[in-house]
């Protein structure tokens, strides 16, 4: 648990139902700091919660996970840890919500036509409108 003989402190972490006594590396912004593999099993990051189809449910973080990557140029990475006990299941999309979102991605902002493909997010234009705009720019510049 402490391979490099780091100085650690005993702390109590309340995860919503119980108090866990564990070792932490110190405190940052009032939150206990844990290293890679040192956090209690009841505290998970947002991505770990997402893997088990949960969400933080508006709770404040209970701790921080701080680690460095193997590459020498990589900086310190900090992830917030949330309680599994206070997490809620992910919300499902409304029945027509995904259809409406895909229709918005296929609609050209210039001509308003719904295309058979997703228009580029950089221009939000269909290829016809984009080509005509580029031709107009080339004609003005020449």
């Amino acid at each position: 648990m402490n391979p490099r003989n780091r100085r650690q402190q005993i702390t109590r972490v309340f995860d919503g139902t119980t108090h866990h006594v564990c070792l932490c590396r110190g405190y940052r912004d009032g939150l206990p700091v844990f290293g890679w593999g040192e956090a209690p099993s009841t505290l998970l990051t947002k991505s770990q919660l997402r893997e088990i189809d949960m969400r933080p449910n508006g709770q404040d973080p209970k701790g921080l996970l701080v680690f460095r990557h193997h590459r020498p140029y990589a900086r310190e990475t900090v992830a917030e840890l949330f309680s599994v006990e206070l997490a809620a299941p992910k919300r499902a999309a409304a029945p027509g919500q995904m259809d409406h979102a895909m229709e918005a991605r296929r609609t050209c902002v210039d001509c308003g036509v719904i295309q058979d493909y997703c228009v580029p997010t950089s221009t939000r234009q269909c290829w016809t409108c984009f080509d005509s705009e580029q031709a107009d720019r080339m004609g003005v510049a020449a």
Side-chain angles (χ1 to χ4, degrees):
M1 178 149 177
N2 193 5
R4 296 184 186 162
N5 293 326
R6 290 186 181 104
R7 190 174 65 196
Q8 294 185 336
Q9 301 172 2
I10 296 175
T11 185
R12 297 179 82 176
V13 177
F14 181 65
D15 69 353
T17 57
T18 57
H19 287 276
H20 296 281
V21 177
C22 52
L23 294 173
C24 72
R25 292 187 181 182
Y27 291 89
R28 186 184 289 180
D29 299 329
L31 296 174
V33 175
F34 298 100
W36 187 265
E38 297 174 355
S41 60
T42 59
L43 297 179
L44 299 178
T45 62
K46 281 186 181 181
S47 59
Q48 290 171 330
L49 285 173
R50 200 176 315 120
E51 287 177 4
I52 59 171
D53 293 332
M54 301 286 277
R55 60 185 171 92
N57 198 21
Q59 65 177 302
D60 291 330
K62 305 296 181 205
L64 298 173
L65 177 66
V66 179
F67 60 94
R68 289 185 182 270
H69 296 275
H70 293 290
R71 309 228 183 237
Y73 56 82
R75 299 201 185 270
E76 188 174 75
T77 301
V78 179
E80 296 176 331
L81 295 169
F82 297 94
S83 170
V84 177
E85 301 294 328
L86 298 176
K90 283 191 347 189
R91 291 182 224 143
Q97 188 174 4
M98 294 305 292
D99 296 335
H100 181 70
M102 287 305 296
E103 184 177 305
R105 288 185 64 195
R106 294 191 331 259
T107 305
C108 175
V109 294
D110 287 345
C111 63
V113 176
I114 299 173
Q115 302 295 330
D116 295 335
Y117 55 89
C118 291
V119 296
T121 56
S122 58
T123 60
R124 303 301 303 160
Q125 296 173 320
C126 63
W127 292 117
T128 308
C129 294
F130 180 75
D131 289 341
S132 65
E133 183 178 305
Q134 292 299 319
D136 290 344
R137 283 187 185 171
M138 297 304 268
V140 171

